């Protein structure tokens, strides 16, 4: 009910060009050619595009609590190859509470439902959120994730996060999962900061 009232008062619009409709419209969303392939600890990574322009605007808006871009992201992630249950990289409880939702968890659940694969919230985050720390501190911080004791342990999973910057966070999660006997087959993110676009590298398989 509240959601419907909010929709009526503030209809969904593209965060970049204000066109009514999805939170990131088809013209502002990254094209399939902008996808980025990378690797973190020999785990192949996939990003919809570089952390820049409208994609960045949409992610930042979502981090500030705007849900509109979620629908667009869920649909765009049809481009990512997914062949193992999704494990979202969670944010700290405090962060998620401030925002009203945990964007990586919410997107992972919806993508999993859409693609008919499982979602397993295996990871819990401990410690303070990253923002405000400098790059070196972020790199140095390890052991930020723990695997839930009570959860089933699949042999292989796909890790999902919103943005991959230095890769330190993903590496930490991969490490925690490996210690628990869970292999990470792929890392899928919305955006890669400081990566090279697929267009610049030739084509990459995304499906
Ligand atoms: Zn737009």
């Amino acid at each position: 009910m509240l959601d419907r009232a909010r929709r009526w008062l503030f209809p969904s619009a593209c965060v970049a060009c204000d066109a009514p409709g999805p939170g990131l419209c088809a013209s502002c969303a990254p094209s399939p050619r902008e996808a980025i392939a990378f690797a973190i600890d020999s785990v192949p990574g996939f990003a919809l595009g570089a952390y820049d322009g409208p994609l960045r605007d949409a992610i930042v808006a979502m981090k500030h609590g705007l849900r509109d871009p979620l629908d667009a992201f869920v649909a765009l992630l049809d481009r990512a190859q997914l062949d193992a249950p999704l494990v979202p990289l969670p944010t700290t409880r405090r962060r998620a509470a401030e925002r009203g939702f945990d964007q990586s968890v919410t997107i992972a659940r919806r993508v999993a439902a859409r693609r008919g694969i499982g979602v397993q919230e295996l990871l819990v985050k401990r410690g303070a959120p990253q923002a405000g720390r400098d790059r070196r501190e972020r790199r140095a911080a390890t052991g930020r994730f723990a695997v839930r004791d009570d959860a089933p342990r699949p042999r292989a999973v796909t890790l999902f996060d919103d943005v991959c910057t230095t890769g330190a966070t993903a590496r930490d999660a991969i490490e925690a999962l490996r210690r628990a006997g869970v292999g990470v087959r792929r890392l899928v993110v919305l955006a890669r900061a400081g990566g090279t676009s697929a267009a610049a590298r030739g084509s990459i398989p995304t499906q």
Side-chain angles (χ1 to χ4, degrees):
M1 190 61 205
L2 262 176
D3 211 46
R4 281 178 62 184
R6 188 182 63 87
R7 281 252 173 263
W8 185 79
L9 286 165
F10 308 104
S12 173
C14 175
V15 296
C17 72
D18 250 3
L24 188 60
C25 78
S27 334
C28 294
S31 77
R33 282 189 311 118
E34 290 173 78
I36 295 170
F38 59 97
I40 301 288
D41 273 6
S42 58
V43 172
F46 169 87
L48 291 172
Y51 189 51
D52 208 353
L55 181 56
R56 182 188 179 131
D57 294 345
I59 293 169
V60 170
M62 190 174 62
K63 287 194 180 205
H64 286 105
L66 188 75
R67 285 173 183 264
D68 292 349
L70 274 169
D71 295 333
F73 289 143
V74 169
L76 287 168
L77 285 167
D78 283 352
R79 296 171 188 170
Q81 188 174 345
L82 301 175
D83 46 15
L86 275 178
V87 173
L89 260 150
T91 185
T92 55
R93 275 194 190 164
R94 188 168 67 83
R95 265 291 162 85
E98 281 165 7
R99 194 181 295 137
F101 62 102
D102 187 324
Q103 77 275 5
S104 293
V105 173
T106 307
I107 293 173
R109 284 181 189 154
R110 290 187 47 192
V111 167
R114 182 178 167 101
R115 301 284 292 272
I117 57 170
V119 59
Q120 298 201 296
E121 290 162 42
L122 288 180
L123 295 168
V124 281
K125 189 164 188 182
R126 27 186 201 211
Q130 282 205 347
R133 298 195 196 181
D134 72 19
R135 213 169 155 97
R136 202 178 331 131
E137 279 180 299
R138 270 191 260 170
R139 271 187 209 276
T142 54
R144 285 161 292 185
F145 296 101
V147 175
R148 284 184 209 280
D149 288 332
D150 55 347
R153 310 275 167 97
R155 283 178 60 197
V157 298
T158 300
L159 200 56
F160 175 75
D161 199 9
D162 50 5
V163 181
C164 181
T165 306
T166 63
T169 309
R171 206 168 280 127
D172 212 7
I174 291 166
E175 183 64 27
L177 288 164
R178 282 178 178 162
R179 271 199 308 268
V182 180
V184 179
R185 195 173 284 169
R186 276 170 222 293
L187 167 66
V188 171
V189 296
L190 299 175
R192 171 83 165 129
T196 316
S197 82
R201 302 162 45 125
S203 68
I204 51 154
T206 56
Q207 196 47 271

